[in-house]
Amino acid sequence: KGVRAPLGFYTSLIGVGRDPSDVSVPYAFSVNGDKGGATQNFWRSVEGVTLTDHAIVWAVSQGSPIRRSVVEGSLFLSDNGGWSSGGFIANVRIGGDLNMGTQQQWFFRNVDLSGRVRCPTGWNYVFMGVTGVDAEACQANITGKVSTITSTPRIAEKPYLIMEDSGGVEESWSIFVPPLLHSIPQQLLRGVRALARASALLGKRLDLVAEVFVARPGMSASQINAGMQSMKGLLLTPGVYVINEPILVDKDEFVVLGIGFPTLVAEREAPVLQISASASGVRVAGLLLEAGSGSGDDAAVPP
């Protein structure tokens, strides 16, 4: 009760219930930085919680998503007129007004809006699969400022951690992997509630003990690769990982999930993460990849 969670660099607020209603926090926020704006507010996130305060300030500029959450009050995407520059919100219900403030651009995907959308400035806002948005009111006098797409044609939502209490005896941890949704009734690909039901029915769980290798900073790439061999997933805990050879993913449906923005740094001119071209359905989420200091390839190699 009364928790106020300021979120700075490399900080995530993660609810580990099956539903955002399982974890309630009064107030989580990101405000203007030292220079009076939010244009350098990166690498922070909110996920899987219900925020109960009447007003939430989330002044960020990219790399700072809000996912799978409920904002019971109004949401302010800038702080006291300070400049802010872009972000992403998905699978979120907003009970009050959505205040864009000084945000230059933003992408909303599968969001339920109950109040007004206030857009005093801005250059480029995209609403995909969003209910309750008045695009004309938000457009103002700037032609092309707002793009609306009625539904989301394909969704492979980010995997996330779940903790369940087995009758008060012991805690059970797992990674929930939402399904790839496509070619289904369009009403399921709009808003939040129907999408959440479809994900719960069609998704799968990976047991954190039996099916997931948990990596920690200080482990080498060879240790991580060896630990992944008999597993279906890899969980990278917060910290910096210096990688001198690629982490290799060569299994179908494998899941690589990071929490707290773990950063993989290439020690040499080689990728830190490599997905085999023969592996299908692989999910990678929640990581920062840093290329080596030489003139080689980027930090990650796609299939």
Side-chain angles (χ1 to χ4, degrees):
K1 184 177 180 179
V3 171
R4 292 173 58 87
L7 301 181
F9 285 95
Y10 297 98
T11 307
S12 297
L13 175 64
I14 303 175
V16 293
R18 286 184 295 177
D19 187 84
S21 62
D22 294 333
V23 180
S24 293
V25 177
Y27 194 69
F29 61 95
S30 176
V31 296
N32 287 335
D34 294 339
K35 296 184 179 181
T39 55
Q40 295 181 346
N41 283 2
F42 310 129
W43 310 322
R44 60 204 69 191
S45 64
V46 174
E47 178 180 340
V49 299
T50 295
L51 301 174
T52 60
D53 197 88
H54 72 283
I56 300 296
V57 176
W58 190 246
V60 298
S61 291
Q62 305 161 34
S64 304
I66 301 177
R67 292 178 177 269
R68 207 174 53 84
S69 293
V70 176
V71 179
E72 292 189 343
S74 295
L75 179 62
F76 293 79
L77 295 180
S78 67
D79 178 21
N80 199 30
W83 287 112
S84 51
S85 184
F88 175 72
I89 290 177
N91 294 6
V92 172
R93 300 198 301 270
I94 301 173
D97 292 345
L98 171 62
N99 298 272
M100 301 302 298
T102 64
Q103 280 294 341
Q104 297 172 347
Q105 58 272 327
W106 203 279
F107 180 30
F108 299 89
R109 202 264 292 146
N110 291 84
V111 176
D112 289 337
L113 302 174
S114 299
R116 295 180 60 187
V117 181
R118 302 179 184 273
C119 306
T121 60
W123 299 338
N124 186 10
Y125 301 144
V126 177
F127 297 88
M128 175 181 282
V130 174
T131 63
V133 62
D134 184 345
E136 291 300 321
C138 190
Q139 191 106 279
N141 296 321
I142 304 176
T143 302
K145 169 181 168 179
V146 177
S147 299
T148 57
I149 299 93
T150 302
S151 62
T152 308
R154 295 165 64 90
I155 299 176
E157 186 50 78
K158 175 183 175 293
Y160 52 89
L161 281 176
I162 290 179
M163 188 276 285
E164 296 177 290
D165 189 344
S166 304
V169 178
E170 60 180 12
E171 297 175 351
S172 173
W173 287 84
S174 60
I175 294 176
F176 185 79
V177 186
L180 169 62
L181 296 175
H182 63 93
S183 302
I184 63 175
Q186 291 298 299
Q187 61 267 27
L188 291 182
L189 299 180
R190 287 194 74 201
V192 178
R193 291 177 174 84
L195 177 61
R197 289 195 294 269
S199 292
L201 288 172
L202 301 174
K204 65 181 181 181
R205 285 178 172 79
L206 301 181
D207 183 83
L208 208 62
V209 175
E211 298 177 301
V212 178
F213 180 71
V214 180
R216 295 174 174 81
M219 288 184 173
S220 67
S222 60
Q223 288 176 303
I224 295 173
N225 283 327
M228 292 165 51
Q229 286 304 305
S230 60
M231 299 296 182
K232 299 178 180 179
L234 168 65
L235 178 68
L236 291 145
T237 56
V240 176
Y241 297 74
V242 178
I243 302 298
N244 59 5
E245 63 181 88
I247 295 173
L248 299 173
V249 178
D250 58 7
K251 298 177 185 175
D252 293 346
E253 308 294 328
F254 198 85
V255 174
V256 179
L257 176 63
I259 55 172
F261 294 93
T263 303
L264 307 183
V265 180
E267 187 178 50
R268 303 172 181 168
E269 294 181 18
V272 294
L273 180 64
Q274 188 164 345
I275 314 299
S276 171
S278 63
S280 64
V282 174
R283 302 283 185 91
V284 179
L287 308 179
L288 290 178
L289 308 180
E290 183 175 326
S293 59
S295 58
D297 295 332
D298 292 338
V301 174

